[in-house]
Amino acid sequence: MRSTQMFESAEDIATAGTEDWIVWVPPVEVRPVSLTDVAIMLAHTAVSRPLIGVREIAGPENVRLDAFVRAALTTVHAEHRHVLADARSPFFGARLRPTDLLPGADAFVARTSYREWCAGRPGRESAENPGGGESPDGAHRPRHGSSDEGCH
């Protein structure tokens, strides 16, 4: 099974592309999908007849990678990194063409949109991160982990 980028991976994508508080990503199209939708399809595939092939899953919305990462970083918490698209920027070390991260025509399209996914996430302000994005020295530091922190 193959999946497009997951909503939960946006912050990891940003971290990988960050240089001097600027997130550099290639100007490519993506169809991000919920990890829950991927897990459901994986479970269904595991108990179904063998496909003897590859199955793909993608989200319902086509968006540029820079817009997806920017939305994940700025939806709710004030993120200080700027997200910029540059064709010379690698994606986890790879040079990509504009449609390289899109699924094939036969991909299963999940129903959960990014907005719906964000609306369903529980708040995460807790002892887990009492100072928000502040470090002990008062400087803003990006939070690491899943992008669901940007949706409460």
Side-chain angles (χ1 to χ4, degrees), residues 14-111:
T15 298
T18 297
E19 182 178 316
D20 296 328
W21 292 94
I22 297 174
V23 179
W24 295 98
V25 294
V28 298
E29 298 291 319
V30 295
R31 292 191 67 174
V33 65
S34 161
L35 178 60
T36 301
D37 288 340
V38 173
I40 290 169
M41 184 174 168
L42 182 60
H44 176 75
T45 302
V47 297
S48 298
R49 288 181 41 200
L51 296 173
I52 315 300
V54 176
R55 191 83 199 267
E56 287 186 301
I57 183 171
E61 300 157 322
N62 195 23
V63 64
R64 272 196 18 172
L65 182 61
D66 56 309
F68 168 58
V69 171
R70 188 176 300 110
L73 294 179
T74 62
T75 299
V76 174
H77 65 282
E79 172 64 63
H80 294 358
R81 290 180 284 180
H82 294 282
V83 180
L84 300 174
D86 185 328
R88 296 169 296 182
S89 296
F91 183 75
F92 292 99
R95 299 282 181 196
L96 301 177
R97 293 176 302 222
T99 60
D100 281 351
L101 296 180
L102 291 177
D106 294 350
F108 174 80
V109 178
R111 293 185 179 186

